[in-house]
Amino acid sequence: LQSGEANYASKLTVEEFELDLTCPTAELLRIVRAGNPRPGAWWRGADDARLKIWRAHEGDGRFVPDEVQPAGKPRMTYAAWRSGHRGSDPFA
């Protein structure tokens, strides 16, 4: 049996799922899993566009996206997104 008063958690917001790439890899992976499918983890690029991260893993101690979705576009592999993305790899 539980005792005491009921506690209510506030609703999670989309902003809470923005990925800060300075955080440890394990924390980033937890955010991706917790946000899937909604509201979804995301990263804001230099062009200020959001990139939703659907799946990711740890490779050589770093965060590696597997499946992403640019704003207004369908899901795609990270490799496909990288081939069309200008600039350096933000997750390297």
Side-chain angles (χ1 to χ4, degrees):
L1 281 176
Q2 293 181 344
S3 62
E5 295 182 33
N7 292 321
Y8 295 96
S10 59
K11 185 175 181 180
L12 296 173
T13 64
V14 174
E15 289 75 27
E16 292 177 282
F17 289 92
E18 181 176 8
L19 297 176
D20 177 1
L21 300 183
T22 62
C23 291
T25 299
E27 184 176 336
L28 295 173
L29 293 172
R30 281 194 297 269
I31 293 170
V32 169
R33 284 192 307 270
N36 197 357
R38 291 201 172 138
W42 56 280
W43 170 79
R44 186 182 308 272
D47 58 356
D48 211 34
R50 286 186 181 190
L51 181 68
K52 187 172 184 177
I53 312 295
W54 285 94
R55 290 184 304 120
H57 70 278
E58 181 177 355
D60 296 325
R62 65 182 186 91
F63 179 79
V64 181
D66 294 319
E67 187 176 16
V68 299
Q69 182 176 11
K73 306 278 184 173
R75 287 184 188 189
M76 60 183 71
T77 64
Y78 181 69
W81 179 80
R82 274 293 303 138
S83 68
H85 177 70
R86 297 171 195 232
S88 62
D89 185 349
F91 298 100

